[in-house]
Amino acid sequence: MNNPLKGVIFDMDGTLFSSNLNFAKIRAQINCHPNEDILDFVARQDRAGQLRSEQIILDYELADAHQASLLPEVENSVTTLFNRDIPMAIVTRNCHQATQIKVARNPLPIDLILTRDDAPAKPDPSALLQIAQQWQIAPQQLLYVGDYRYDIEAAHNANMQACFYAPHALPEYAQRAEYIIQCFSELPVLFKDYVK
């Protein structure tokens, strides 16, 4: 039996907003192995390599940010949750600068946003736990919504419940999430028992 939900934290790219980041192209440009996490790879480089890689990644992220749009039913669902006073936040592996552009272009009633510049990147649970502490809500009563395995891993590393957003095909790892939604309109239903 899952704990009653008292708040929701969202991933950003591919969950709230569209993203056309070409990770294969980014990896090729910074010489990162296809199976390696890009941010882990950059962290292990020498300072000159880090600066070069970080600039390449930033250029891609900024270009993507200027094209981003809200995904279907996101605005309606987030507005529904906001009108019910359900705490909401965003935790993204994106950088602060690109995140600010996306949020400014696609306003949502979510003020609490943590990027990889604010806390270690997912699947590290630090950002999620920071939000739980700020809200004074037990992690077990929070839902983290995302579209990639790092999101499920981050939720579970923080002892939170995971909701996997899968508008298209379901990857095998999706089954590790407590909830799976294929359309954002399904999200508010998960909070039907919410009591402030």
Side-chain angles (χ1 to χ4, degrees):
M1 171 89 178
N2 293 328
N3 285 290
L5 296 169
K6 291 187 177 278
V8 58
I9 305 170
F10 298 101
D11 167 52
M12 189 175 71
D13 289 349
T15 301
L16 296 176
F17 306 136
S18 65
S19 176
N20 294 309
L21 281 172
N22 187 329
F23 290 107
K25 215 169 177 180
I26 295 171
R27 282 190 174 89
Q29 245 182 291
I30 65 173
N31 299 315
C32 174
H33 189 276
N35 295 326
E36 186 167 10
D37 179 84
I38 291 173
L39 298 181
D40 288 347
F41 171 78
V42 172
R44 285 202 323 278
Q45 290 184 294
D46 62 29
R47 191 65 193 130
Q50 281 181 356
L51 291 172
R52 178 184 165 277
S53 295
E54 284 168 358
Q55 187 59 54
I56 289 168
I57 293 166
L58 178 63
D59 291 344
Y60 273 99
E61 286 184 339
L62 292 179
D64 181 62
H66 286 288
Q67 307 299 320
S69 59
L70 285 170
L71 290 173
E73 295 298 328
V74 165
E75 187 171 13
N76 286 342
S77 293
V78 167
T79 300
T80 298
L81 297 174
F82 176 76
N83 289 338
R84 292 183 59 202
D85 284 331
I86 293 170
M88 292 184 289
I90 295 172
V91 168
T92 176
R93 283 170 59 98
N94 226 307
C95 71
H96 179 78
Q97 197 178 345
T99 299
Q100 289 304 109
I101 292 168
K102 288 194 177 191
V103 169
R105 283 175 47 85
N106 305 281
L108 289 170
I110 303 175
D111 296 326
L112 181 52
I113 302 170
L114 296 182
T115 71
R116 69 166 182 266
D117 298 324
D118 303 307
K122 301 172 296 184
D124 186 293
S126 300
L128 300 184
L129 292 171
Q130 187 177 323
I131 291 168
Q133 188 171 17
Q134 187 169 330
W135 286 344
Q136 293 293 289
I137 298 173
Q140 299 89 331
Q141 294 184 301
L142 294 176
L143 185 70
Y144 187 61
V145 183
D147 69 319
Y148 188 57
R149 66 180 176 88
Y150 285 164
D151 302 314
I152 298 173
E153 290 168 11
H156 291 165
N157 289 342
N159 206 15
M160 292 181 184
Q161 298 178 58
C163 176
F164 189 74
Y165 172 55
H168 309 299
L170 266 185
E172 176 261 330
Y173 60 77
Q175 304 307 324
R176 300 193 337 239
E178 283 76 11
Y179 304 96
I180 295 172
I181 58 171
Q182 293 184 287
C183 178
F184 241 78
S185 60
E186 300 169 55
L187 184 65
V189 179
L190 302 183
F191 288 84
K192 64 183 186 302
D193 299 325
Y194 173 74
V195 180
K196 196 171 180 184

